[in-house]
Amino acid sequence: MSLTLSDVKRIAHLAQLEMADDQAAIALTELNGIFALAEQMQAVDTSGVAPLSHPLAAYMEAQQQAIALRLRPDEAIEPNRRDDYLALAPMTQDGLYLVPQVIE
């Protein structure tokens, strides 16, 4: 897929961008380069290649090392202030905010 200069100008108009002719020509070259790269990537045969769970997974597997994931403990560090917030509401019930019905 390749774009023409009129395509670039139309896209710029739809995006509400003001683009001079020389800028449109530069954008045309860059966009066509991106599309060419995407076409090259689509041409690569990836059948039989398993997706990686981590960018270094293949390297670490070759080195026979496990990937150490940096996960933080799942701990609540903020105090529970639910009652404080509910106290500011005009109407509450069973820990929920009561609001006027707007949809029938």
Side-chain angles (χ1 to χ4, degrees):
M1 175 183 178
S2 63
L3 297 175
T4 63
L5 192 58
S6 63
D7 293 331
V8 172
K9 288 184 178 183
R10 186 173 60 86
I11 292 169
H13 175 72
L14 291 173
Q16 297 182 355
L17 298 174
E18 187 174 322
M19 189 174 284
D21 289 340
D22 56 337
Q23 292 173 327
I26 293 170
L28 174 65
T29 304
E30 292 177 357
L31 287 171
N32 281 334
I34 292 170
F35 288 138
L37 179 61
E39 287 176 3
Q40 287 178 349
M41 292 174 70
Q42 289 290 335
V44 174
D45 181 24
T46 58
S47 59
V49 177
L52 298 175
S53 60
H54 191 276
L56 297 176
Y59 173 76
M60 299 298 280
E61 191 174 289
Q63 301 295 322
Q64 297 179 348
Q65 296 176 355
I67 297 175
L69 299 177
R70 296 181 191 146
L71 299 177
R72 62 184 166 99
D74 189 15
E75 298 173 354
I77 56 173
E78 294 291 326
N80 183 0
R81 299 193 53 203
R82 178 180 178 182
D83 294 333
D84 297 337
Y85 297 138
L86 288 173
L88 300 174
M91 295 178 15
T92 62
Q93 179 182 348
D94 299 328
L96 301 173
Y97 295 102
L98 297 178
V99 295
Q101 181 176 350
V102 293
I103 299 175
E104 294 182 28

